[in-house]
């Protein structure tokens, strides 16, 4: 079986999305609280705490510099962990995939629906964070509103990468490896809490070539600061290409895992 076979999809994938949305609504209070509190905690600890000792970075205050990074990190975390640990629980322990595949839904449609839901979690989190950051005057409006549709694309990329890890992990404990070895380096070295230009040139090239969060941070920061440039087309093209590649790969990897 080719790992890059184009999935056969129909509008039935929305049935999977709706199933997850219904479950999400059952615990909406818990789900809405982290994206609301997370930016506040980081802003007070880093932006308004550490930021007192930093005059400015690239012409803006430190709080304004890290605000877009907080959105980008939330886009990454929400879809990645939704399609690793949560998807693994639904697949192995709750047997949700078995139940859905016993209906007219195909494996391709089940996995694609899961990926769309993972991307939706990123969109929800980004949408909740924007008014919080706007209340502190840290983002430019209305340009920052473009982050809402962009968060779905960014979320789809991280959801697809996450599903690849889920497909090749022998057990749920093994998912700790990508969480530590893939997510943590991106959290620190993707131009989040300090400019990417401070890193050695080789590390900068590595971040641009291998770390998806780097491109997400660049786009979100340009939108929140109101300074979009034509160079962002490169970041957007990188994300679209990677999201398409890993979307196809994740569906085929999961199909192989579920069949065998």
């Amino acid at each position: 079986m080719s790992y890059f076979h184009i999935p056969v999809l129909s509008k039935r994938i929305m049935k999977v999305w709706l199933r997850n949305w219904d479950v999400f609504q059952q615990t909406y209070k818990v789900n809405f609280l982290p994206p609301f509190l997370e930016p506040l905690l980081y802003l007070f600890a880093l932006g308004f705490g550490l930021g007192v000792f930093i005059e400015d970075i690239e012409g803006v205050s430190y709080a304004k510099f890290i605000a877009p990074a907080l959105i980008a990190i939330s886009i990454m975390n929400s879809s990645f962990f939704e399609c690793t640990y949560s998807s693994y629980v639904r697949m192995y322990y709750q047997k949700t995939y078995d139940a859905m595949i016993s209906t007219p839904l195909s494996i391709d449609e089940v996995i694609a629906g899961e990926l769309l839901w993972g991307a939706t979690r990123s969109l929800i989190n980004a949408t909740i964070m924007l008014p919080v950051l706007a209340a502190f005057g840290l983002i430019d409006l209305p340009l920052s509103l473009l982050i809402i549709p962009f968060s779905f694309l960014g979320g789809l990329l991280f959801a697809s990468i996450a599903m690849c890890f889920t497909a090749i992990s022998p057990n749920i404990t093994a998912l700790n490896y990508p969480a530590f070895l893939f997510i943590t380096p991106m959290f620190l070295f993707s131009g989040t809490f300090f400019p990417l230009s401070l890193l050695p040139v080789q590390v900068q090239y590595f971040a641009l070539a291998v770390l998806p969060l780097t491109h997400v941070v660049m786009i979100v920061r340009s939108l929140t600061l109101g300074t979009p440039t034509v160079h962002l087309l490169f970041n957007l093209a990188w994300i679209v290409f990677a999201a398409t590649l890993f979307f196809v790969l994740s569906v085929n990897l999961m199909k192989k895992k579920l069949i065998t």
Side-chain angles (χ1 to χ4, degrees):
M1 182 181 71
S2 171
Y3 289 120
F4 294 99
H5 176 74
I6 302 300
V8 179
L9 305 175
S10 72
K11 62 181 181 181
R12 287 194 295 260
I13 62 175
M14 292 309 298
K15 298 292 184 182
V16 181
W17 187 94
L18 287 171
R19 179 266 171 201
N20 289 334
W21 171 250
D22 288 341
V23 175
F24 177 81
Q25 286 183 303
Q26 300 298 316
T27 55
Y28 71 94
K29 292 181 180 178
V30 176
N31 293 323
F32 284 152
L33 197 58
F36 178 77
L37 290 179
E38 186 177 357
L40 291 177
L41 295 175
Y42 274 104
L43 280 177
F44 281 109
L46 297 178
F48 302 133
L50 180 62
V52 172
F53 301 96
I54 303 173
E55 188 171 348
D56 60 55
I57 292 183
E58 297 182 345
V60 298
S61 67
Y62 189 58
K64 207 165 186 175
F65 179 81
I66 66 168
L70 300 180
I71 300 174
I73 290 169
S74 183
I75 291 172
M76 173 183 71
N77 285 342
S78 52
S79 56
F80 185 86
F81 289 101
E82 179 67 31
C83 288
T84 48
Y85 293 100
S86 298
S87 289
Y88 201 94
V89 168
R90 286 193 285 271
M91 176 172 58
Y92 267 98
Y93 300 107
Q94 296 179 343
K95 304 296 183 184
T96 305
Y97 289 6
D98 292 347
M100 288 192 286
I101 293 170
S102 66
T103 69
L105 286 165
S106 67
I107 296 178
D108 289 9
E109 291 166 342
V110 170
I111 304 306
E114 283 279 292
L115 296 175
L116 292 183
W117 173 246
T120 302
R121 289 299 306 270
S122 295
L123 185 149
I124 292 172
N125 279 24
T127 303
I128 294 173
M129 293 179 71
L130 281 177
V132 176
L133 298 175
F136 287 93
L138 298 176
I139 60 175
D140 179 79
L141 292 173
L143 195 59
S144 292
L145 295 178
L146 291 175
I147 292 172
I148 295 175
F150 171 72
S151 64
F152 186 87
L153 175 62
L156 185 62
L157 169 60
F158 291 114
S160 300
I161 295 173
M163 195 63 80
C164 290
F165 285 122
T166 302
I168 62 176
S169 295
N171 52 61
I172 194 169
T173 306
L175 291 174
N176 291 331
Y177 290 113
F180 176 71
L181 299 175
F182 183 62
I183 293 299
T184 300
M186 279 198 293
F187 181 81
L188 297 173
F189 301 111
S190 294
T192 49
F193 300 111
F194 55 86
L196 190 65
S197 57
L198 294 181
L199 296 171
V201 174
Q202 294 85 350
V203 179
Q204 293 180 41
Y205 286 144
F206 177 81
L208 287 170
V210 178
L211 304 182
L213 185 62
T214 305
H215 299 278
V216 176
V217 169
M218 286 181 171
I219 291 178
V220 174
R221 181 165 286 143
S222 293
L223 294 176
T224 58
L225 297 179
T227 57
T229 66
V230 70
H231 297 98
L232 294 184
L233 293 177
F234 164 75
N235 302 109
L236 187 61
W238 193 100
I239 292 172
V240 170
F241 173 77
T244 304
L245 178 70
F246 284 106
F247 181 92
V248 173
L249 180 61
S250 65
V251 171
N252 287 290
L253 283 172
M254 284 298 292
K255 183 188 292 184
K256 181 180 179 182
K257 186 179 186 73
L258 290 170
I259 291 176
T260 57

